[in-house]
Amino acid sequence: MEQRTVGRSGLRVSRIGLATHTWGMQTDADDAAGQLVAFAEAGGTLVDTSPAYAGGAAQRILADLLGDLVSRDELVLSGCAGVLPRTEPVQTTVPGPAPRTEIDASRRGLLRQLDRTLLELGTDYLDIWHVAAWDPGTPLDEIAATLEHAVRSGKVRYAGVRGFNPWQLASLAAIAPISVAHTPYSLLARHAESEFVPAAQHHGVGVIASAPLAGGILTGKYRDGVPADSRGADEATAAEIRHRLDERATRVVDALVTAADGLGTSPLAVALAWIRDRPGIASMIVGARDIGQLTGVMAAETLELPRAIAAALDDVSARTE
């Protein structure tokens, strides 16, 4: 798997990163082990985790696999702090489900969570450590100083952010050692192109695309309905997925299917190859429920999209409003 430099840093990561957010929920420990081994054997290095994934189960599963199956030194471990799963119900008057996480990007909160993550993973450092969400209750100067301290201490090699909008990223990157920024980016979510990616490039920050398959929509699985085992059939995520199954999504998926048929591959691989080749993108984080799905994801690594197909996908996925 090809490695790319992240922004203007010296960090290098695989063009496809392995997400672990399904581990401990849809993916059990045995399947997770198979995924990690297959990913590393294919040359993949970037592995993304969080203490908030599956209520902490994903990180614990990864901890059990490091060293025994794959050497810690072979991987670029990406973690975060600032967001934790809630342990108690939340009373809210806002319509819709109550938030399942809480945000704390204070110096105390970030460093306490960093130390717990390092202890749980059995490692002395994280290759990438992100502030996982914008915290309006913590001054930017405090967050910047915390990131600087974490890097200087050796516990963190490179600092990053997740869940920030363009002005938030630019504000923090101007005063903190930010090298990496995650943002949703796919054929159905191209808003990052207008301000987020330019802001990141201006500050020398490498962009890692999250949700590059738009919750599975770009695999084509919802083309003929909602499969019973899909996220669209899950009560917790059904509304979000179904809301995005509009006319534009139909056009994009139809174009992906046509392109995939012509190239002898899958819509999933075409969608990922399109994201991989976008300006400013260092890598993308992709999750898989099992080894079969991961094999399909990794097929995108060797797929080269003809310019005409990439241009056609640009056109069909462009928003007109």
Side-chain angles (χ1 to χ4, degrees), residues 41-287:
E41 288 180 346
T45 58
L46 178 60
V47 177
D48 178 70
T49 190
S50 166
Y53 292 165
Q59 192 163 276
R60 291 191 292 272
I61 290 174
L62 177 60
D64 290 338
L65 302 179
L66 291 177
D68 293 335
L69 292 180
V70 177
S71 170
R72 163 67 181 91
D73 293 339
E74 293 180 24
L75 302 177
V76 176
L77 284 184
S78 171
C80 68
V83 173
L84 279 173
R86 289 190 182 273
T87 57
E88 298 179 358
V90 179
Q91 299 296 324
T92 177
T93 58
V94 179
R100 291 176 292 175
T101 57
E102 55 185 337
I103 297 172
D104 179 8
S106 68
R107 181 183 180 90
R108 178 177 182 271
L110 290 176
L111 294 181
R112 181 173 60 176
Q113 203 169 354
L114 173 61
D115 287 340
R116 288 177 177 174
T117 293
L118 295 176
L119 181 64
E120 186 163 73
L121 292 178
T123 184
D124 295 329
Y125 68 95
L126 289 177
D127 296 283
I128 309 173
W129 184 52
H130 303 83
V131 178
W134 176 261
D135 180 3
T138 301
L140 273 186
D141 288 348
E142 180 175 331
I143 296 174
T146 303
L147 293 176
E148 182 73 30
H149 169 76
V151 172
R152 287 185 177 275
S153 71
K155 294 180 179 180
V156 171
R157 297 296 190 253
Y158 297 90
V161 296
R162 302 179 185 177
F164 279 41
N165 66 31
W167 76 261
Q168 293 166 348
L169 166 63
S171 298
L172 185 58
I175 60 174
I178 302 297
S179 300
V180 187
H182 283 236
T183 190
Y185 192 4
S186 72
L187 278 161
L188 292 182
R190 297 182 58 180
H191 51 276
E193 296 172 348
S194 60
E195 295 183 2
F196 192 93
V197 173
Q201 291 178 312
H202 175 77
H203 288 281
V205 175
V207 176
I208 295 180
S210 60
L213 295 172
I217 293 174
L218 297 177
T219 65
K221 70 168 66 176
Y222 299 111
R223 200 179 186 208
D224 298 317
V226 178
D229 62 347
S230 68
R231 291 184 64 194
D234 188 308
E235 183 177 348
T237 54
E240 176 190 355
I241 295 295
R242 293 170 187 263
H243 175 72
R244 300 168 71 180
L245 294 173
D246 55 15
E247 292 183 6
R248 176 170 172 262
T250 298
R251 292 195 303 271
V252 171
V253 171
D254 286 347
L256 283 171
V257 171
T258 299
D261 289 344
L263 295 171
T265 187
S266 67
L268 176 154
V270 175
L272 294 182
W274 182 86
I275 279 288
R276 179 200 65 204
D277 296 339
R278 302 302 291 174
I281 299 301
S283 185
M284 52 189 162
I285 298 296
V286 191

Side-chain angles (χ1 to χ4, degrees), residues 1-3 13-21 35 39 43-49 76 78 182 208-210 212 272 282-288 294 297-298 301:
M1 196 175 295
E2 185 177 324
Q3 307 291 304
V13 299
S14 52
R15 298 195 297 182
I16 297 175
L18 178 62
T20 63
H21 62 274
Q35 287 186 26
F39 180 71
T45 58
L46 178 60
V47 177
D48 178 70
T49 190
V76 176
S78 171
H182 283 236
I208 295 180
S210 60
L272 294 182
S283 185
M284 52 189 162
I285 298 296
V286 191
L294 181 62
V297 166
M298 292 191 296
E301 171 65 20

